[in-house]
């Protein structure tokens, strides 16, 4: 099994890790919001929602830890050259991250152990705030590391040796805008996921009013964050067009160089400005063309979330209630929101190919030369990882739906 | 070796000691909890079940920080010694891949075991517990393959074409069996003494309360007996490990014993005989205090405060013994990171200059993490929070 098998398993693990880690960030955000609401409104519904989210956070954190460790060891054994380069030049984000990570995990356990005794207290809300700060900072730092692979800066190869400016590598051109897009995305996808869960609970009967109260808060948060996402997404795509033009051409499906009307206007503010087509790049440097379809599937799903969020928010703000049709329409967000986020990461990562670090390191140069994964090993790993994903769905159903 | 290179090593050493201490407790508690749960049901002993359940709470508190510190150590190695990470990534593919799989299972089974207590059938819960216990040992085994490679790089040939690796010989490293046995027995004995120390402390704090005395005493007895049971074979495995070092890693043997065997053209590590002596003295304390504690806690004769104080100290002494042992093993590699193929300075990141301020900030941060871990463990000792 050659490159394809290794890329498949690496992509599988990375996507799973992005999903779980994003949800961890989102749940720390919701934990803070709902516990604060409970403190100020004294409504036990918000306390129950916080408890469910704390359990969910534990679940997602465990899976994020498992896939994170798997990714880390995968990087070391399958991508040793890439690992060495990143270790050398991205010292600052990685080093700060190593202290935040244990603090986050310790506070998570402390938060859980003190729930019964301290829930709703200033001290307990402060703990959730520490969790939020740690998780947001971590995702921001790791996004900066990831962004280096797309818009590398501060690194030169001179006579086979690496010369590096560590600050320039950390603050690479795509870092800030990527962070601005990724952090709200984590919040929004988790919030949409939970709104779908609470819509389902409200419709299932019994205690509709209680669950709808939580749903209303979630949908307002989700919609607000989607608006932020549209703005930061626009900034991110401009960065892609500027620094990774072949990726931009692939995701927009531009084959011939020329003006692309609306796309030209959205990127450059000029209807007539030409956009480089894929034909202008050597075939060996072109990303896969199916990205175009994946990207637009993502936009369609994001559009559904935006319209749903707008409609539900209007009902909540103007009438104070949510029609059953809207609740029913919200249920698919349980899957749609994480899928939008996963497709976003897929387009980002696959769009970088054939480069592992753009214009610095190709995929085949970054890989291990001493070992090749056989198809049986790949199959075994896929079975183990798939089984864990199924176990996750079962556990998530028990925690989120059945409480 | 310059001062600049010593600072990263000291920071890494601090993090590694913290990680290894937590991991040993994680492994030990992962065995104790399901085993006591099984025994409690077999004997119909509610006290044992209570101890098992509490140990699961400690396990949950420790496992998260042990995993987090594992990632901390890996990332620190990556940023301070990237060339070493590249080399072990190339050479030790199978140990790392298998470790990743076992960690994956282990990380998921610990919270599942905790959260499903009393909510699934006993057989299912015990099965989860024993998978958790087994994977704990397997993770340790895979990392000991890596450690044994750094003692003696068997299975690696450096040719003009590059690196050639004989996987079977990597796994058949002569220092691996004694090191692994010594580590696993050490994890169990340390955890036993830690449990004894913690419950002795709780016994002293609640002297007037009859309701807890019986099961606290039982926990002390279980802890001490387990600690002593595994301490003696651990000593034998330790001697075996030293003999294997004298054969294939003479510089490390010199570091531990101060005895210089025939060594050609290699740099010598520091002489750590004083530290090894301290470790032996601590083991003697553990043995003596342990035996005295068993005698005292055998039956319901009331609480002898002086002897209980002795058994309280089993906890810090066992952790210190473990930490000293690991420190000796790591420092004995110096000035190499993998004896004798790669020196620390050759593996170091050329772009990092760690000055005193940076060093102090890092140590302060690690100390804060350690204090938070202790706080978290003390919170897990409180009753009825869940």
């Amino acid at each position: 099994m050659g490159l394809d098998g290794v890329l498949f398993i690496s992509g599988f693990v990375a996507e799973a890790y992005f999903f779980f880690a994003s949800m961890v960030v989102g749940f720390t955000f919701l934990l803070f919001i709902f516990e604060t609401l409970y403190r100020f409104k004294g409504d036990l519904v918000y306390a129950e929602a916080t408890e469910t989210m704390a359990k969910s956070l534990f679940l997602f954190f465990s899976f994020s830890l498992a896939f994170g460790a798997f990714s880390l060891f995968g990087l070391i054994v399958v991508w040793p050259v890439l690992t060495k380069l990143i270790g050398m030049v991205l010292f600052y984000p990685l080093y700060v991250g190593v202290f935040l990570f244990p603090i986050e995990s310790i506070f998570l356990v402390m938060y859980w152990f003190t729930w019964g005794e301290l829930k709703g207290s200033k001290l307990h809300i402060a703990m959730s705030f520490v969790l939020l700060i740690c998780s947001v900072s971590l995702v921001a730092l790791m996004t900066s590391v990831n962004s280096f692979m797309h818009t590398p800066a501060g690194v030169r190869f001179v006579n086979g040796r690496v010369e590096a400016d560590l600050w320039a590598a950390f603050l690479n051109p795509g870092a800030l805008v990527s962070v601005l897009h990724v952090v709200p995305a984590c919040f929004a996808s988790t919030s949409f996921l939970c709104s779908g869960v609470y819509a389902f609970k409200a419709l299932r009967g019994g205690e509709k009013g209680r669950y709808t109260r939580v749903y209303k808060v979630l949908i307002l948060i989700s919609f607000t964050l989607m608006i932020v996402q549209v703005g930061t997404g626009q900034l991110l795509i401009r960065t892609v067009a500027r620094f990774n033009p072949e990726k931009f051409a692939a995701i927009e499906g531009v084959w011939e160089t020329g003006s692309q009307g609306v796309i030209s206007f959205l990127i450059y503010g000029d209807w007539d400005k030409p956009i480089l087509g894929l034909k202008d790049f050597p075939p060996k440097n072109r990303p896969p063309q199916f990205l175009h379809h994946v990207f637009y599937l993502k936009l369609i799903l994001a559009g559904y979330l935006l319209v749903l969020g707008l409609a539900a928010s209007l009902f909540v703000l103007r009438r104070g209630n949510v029609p059953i049709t809207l609740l029913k329409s919200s249920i698919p967000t349980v899957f749609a929101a994480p899928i939008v986020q996963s497709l976003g990461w897929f387009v980002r990562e696959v769009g970088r190919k054939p480069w592992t670090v753009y214009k610095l390191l190709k995929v085949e140069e970054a890989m291990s030369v001493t070992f090749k994964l056989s198809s049986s090993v790949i199959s075994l790993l896929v079975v183990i990882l798939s089984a864990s994903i199924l176990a996750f769905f079962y556990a998530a159903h028990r925690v989120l739906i059945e409480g | 070796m310059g001062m600049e290179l010593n600072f990263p090593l000291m920071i890494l050493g601090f993090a590694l000691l913290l990680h290894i201490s937590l991991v040993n407790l994680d492994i030990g508690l992962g065995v104790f909890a399901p085993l006591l749960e099984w025994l409690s049901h077999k004997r119909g002993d509610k006290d044992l079940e209570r101890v098992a359940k509490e140990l699961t709470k400690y396990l949950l508190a420790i496992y998260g920080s042990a995993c987090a510190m594992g990632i901390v150590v890996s990332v620190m190695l990556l940023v301070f010694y990237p060339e070493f990470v590249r080399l072990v990534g190339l050479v030790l593919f199978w140990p790392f891949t298998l470790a990743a799989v076992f960690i994956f299972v282990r990380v998921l089974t610990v919270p599942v075991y905790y959260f499903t207590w009393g909510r699934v059938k006993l057989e299912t819960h015990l099965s989860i517990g024993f998978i958790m216990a087994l994977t704990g040992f397997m993770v340790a085994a895979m990392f000991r393959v890596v450690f044994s490679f750094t003692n003696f790089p068997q299975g690696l040939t450096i040719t003009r074409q590059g690196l050639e690796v004989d996987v079977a010989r990597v796994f058949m490293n002569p220092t691996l069996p004694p090191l692994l046995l010594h580590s696993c027995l050490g994890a169990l004995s340390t955890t036993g003494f830690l449990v004894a120390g913690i419950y002795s402390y709780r016994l002293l704090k609640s002297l007037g309360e009859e309701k807890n005395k019986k099961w606290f005493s039982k926990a002390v007895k279980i802890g001490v007996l387990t600690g002593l049971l595994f301490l003696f074979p651990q000593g034998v495995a330790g001697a075996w490990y030293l003999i294997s070092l004298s054969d294939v890693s003479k510089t490390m043997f010199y570091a531990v014993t101060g005895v210089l065997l025939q060594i050609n053209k290699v740099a010598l590590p520091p002489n750590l005989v004083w530290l090894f002596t301290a470790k032996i003295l601590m083991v003697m304390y553990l043995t003596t205090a342990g035996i005295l504690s068993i005698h005292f806690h055998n039956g319901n004769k009331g609480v002898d405060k002086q002897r209980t104080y002795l058994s309280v100290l089993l906890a810090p002494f066992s952790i210190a013994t473990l930490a000293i042992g690991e420190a000796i093993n790591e420092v004995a590699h110096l000035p190499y990171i993998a004896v004798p193929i790669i020196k620390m300075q050759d593996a170091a990141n050329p772009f990092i200059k760690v000055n005193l301020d940076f060093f102090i900030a890092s140590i302060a941060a690690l100390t804060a993490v350690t204090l938070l871990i202790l706080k978290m463990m003390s919170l897990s000792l409180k009753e009825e929070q869940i």
Side-chain angles (χ1 to χ4, degrees), chain B residues 299-373:
Chain B
N300 295 319
K301 297 174 185 169
V303 174
D304 178 336
K305 270 193 175 181
Q306 275 80 27
R307 292 190 183 187
T308 312
Y309 281 126
L310 277 181
S311 54
V312 168
L313 288 176
L314 287 173
F317 271 74
S318 63
I319 299 283
T321 309
L322 174 81
I324 289 174
E326 293 293 346
I328 291 172
N329 198 41
E330 294 320 304
V331 177
H333 286 81
L334 294 177
Y336 298 94
I337 196 163
V339 184
I341 50 171
I342 180 165
K343 283 191 172 179
M344 299 294 290
Q345 62 199 38
D346 298 330
N349 188 340
F351 304 118
I352 308 297
K353 302 291 175 219
V354 178
N355 58 25
L356 186 63
D357 296 343
F358 185 96
F359 171 73
I360 290 171
S362 298
I363 293 297
L366 281 171
T367 308
V369 168
T370 311
L371 293 174
L372 277 171
I373 289 172

Side-chain angles (χ1 to χ4, degrees), chain A residues 62 65 67 72-73 76-77 83-84 87-88 91 95 98-99 101 105-106 109 112-113 162 370-371 373 377 388, chain B residues 11 63 68 72 74-75 78-79 82-83 89-90 93 96 103-104 107 111 143 349 351-352 358 362 373 380 385:
Chain A
S62 303
L65 201 57
F67 275 94
L72 183 63
F73 288 119
I76 291 172
V77 296
T83 310
K84 183 182 171 186
M88 280 167 81
F91 175 78
Y95 197 69
V98 300
F99 293 105
F101 187 58
S105 60
I106 293 164
V109 177
W112 179 249
F113 280 157
V162 181
T370 49
F371 286 94
L373 284 180
V377 172
S388 73
Chain B
I11 297 167
Y63 117 103
V72 169
S74 307
V75 176
L78 180 61
V79 295
E83 177 55 25
L90 285 169
F93 178 89
F96 274 117
I103 289 173
F104 190 83
V107 164
F143 279 106
N349 188 340
F351 304 118
I352 308 297
F358 185 96
S362 298
I373 289 172
S380 76
Q385 307 94 328

Side-chain angles (χ1 to χ4, degrees), chain A residues 37-312:
Chain A
L37 273 175
Y38 168 60
R39 177 172 175 81
F40 287 104
K41 294 205 165 185
D43 189 339
L44 273 176
V45 167
Y46 296 130
E48 283 169 20
T50 314
E51 191 175 357
T52 303
M53 283 163 195
K55 283 182 189 167
S56 308
L57 177 58
F58 237 109
L59 177 71
F60 280 90
F61 186 82
S62 303
F63 275 84
S64 146
L65 201 57
F67 275 94
F70 207 89
S71 297
L72 183 63
F73 288 119
L75 269 173
I76 291 172
V77 296
V78 181
W79 306 95
V81 180
L82 170 68
T83 310
K84 183 182 171 186
L85 178 68
I86 286 181
M88 280 167 81
V89 303
L90 290 160
F91 175 78
Y92 294 120
L94 290 172
Y95 197 69
V96 175
V98 300
F99 293 105
L100 291 171
F101 187 58
I103 293 172
E104 183 188 12
S105 60
I106 293 164
F107 268 86
L108 176 59
V109 177
M110 292 209 292
Y111 184 89
W112 179 249
F113 280 157
T114 52
W115 170 255
E117 203 178 330
L118 297 176
K119 67 180 171 195
S121 66
K122 279 183 189 168
L123 181 62
H124 212 250
I125 292 173
M127 278 190 204
S128 68
F129 187 67
V130 173
L131 266 174
L132 175 62
I133 295 294
C134 285
S135 64
V136 168
S137 309
L138 263 171
V139 80
L141 293 168
M142 293 312 120
T143 303
S144 141
V145 172
N146 176 272
S147 176
F148 171 83
M149 292 159 74
H150 299 265
T151 56
V155 178
R156 286 195 313 156
F157 287 106
V158 182
N159 299 327
R161 289 178 61 87
V162 181
E163 284 185 1
D165 174 347
L166 302 191
W167 282 109
F170 174 29
L171 304 170
N172 59 80
L176 179 64
V177 71
S178 298
V179 170
L180 289 176
H181 190 64
V182 168
V183 173
C186 297
F187 296 165
S189 59
T190 316
S191 184
F192 265 120
L193 182 144
C194 291
S195 69
V197 167
Y198 276 86
F200 177 78
K201 285 181 165 185
L203 287 168
R204 201 167 52 168
E207 299 167 292
K208 187 186 167 200
R210 286 174 58 214
Y211 294 127
T212 313
R213 290 215 290 284
V214 178
Y215 171 83
K216 284 178 191 170
V217 176
L218 287 167
I219 204 72
L220 285 173
I221 293 172
S222 308
F223 178 63
T224 311
L225 289 165
M226 273 308 278
I227 300 290
V228 175
Q229 280 302 92
V230 172
T232 56
Q234 177 63 13
L235 290 175
L236 187 59
I237 201 79
R238 284 183 180 192
T239 310
V240 173
R242 184 176 166 198
F243 292 98
N244 311 114
E246 56 274 63
K247 178 168 147 186
F248 181 70
I251 62 179
E252 291 294 356
V254 179
W255 190 247
E256 301 274 359
T257 299
S259 166
Q260 298 295 323
V262 177
I263 298 172
S264 294
F265 179 74
L266 286 172
I267 301 302
Y268 300 113
D270 179 352
W271 298 87
D272 298 323
K273 182 137 185 178
I275 285 177
L276 280 175
L278 278 174
K279 267 191 176 176
D280 284 1
F281 299 98
K284 64 182 171 66
N285 283 354
R286 290 176 195 157
Q289 287 161 46
F290 65 80
L291 281 183
H292 175 59
H293 304 290
V294 179
F295 182 65
Y296 276 84
L297 174 63
K298 179 202 153 166
L299 289 188
I300 290 166
L301 286 173
Y304 150 69
L305 293 175
L306 193 64
V307 171
L308 176 80
L310 173 67

Side-chain angles (χ1 to χ4, degrees), chain A residues 24-43:
Chain A
V24 166
V25 180
F27 274 114
T28 58
F29 171 69
L30 293 180
L31 215 58
F32 176 69
I33 297 280
F34 276 90
E35 193 169 10
T36 308
L37 273 175
Y38 168 60
R39 177 172 175 81
F40 287 104
K41 294 205 165 185
D43 189 339

Side-chain angles (χ1 to χ4, degrees), chain B residues 183-206:
Chain B
S183 313
C184 293
L185 293 169
L188 294 171
S189 70
T190 305
T191 309
F193 286 127
L194 181 88
V195 169
I198 287 173
Y199 280 94
S200 299
Y201 174 75
R202 295 178 76 183
L203 196 60
L204 280 176
K205 292 269 284 183
S206 60

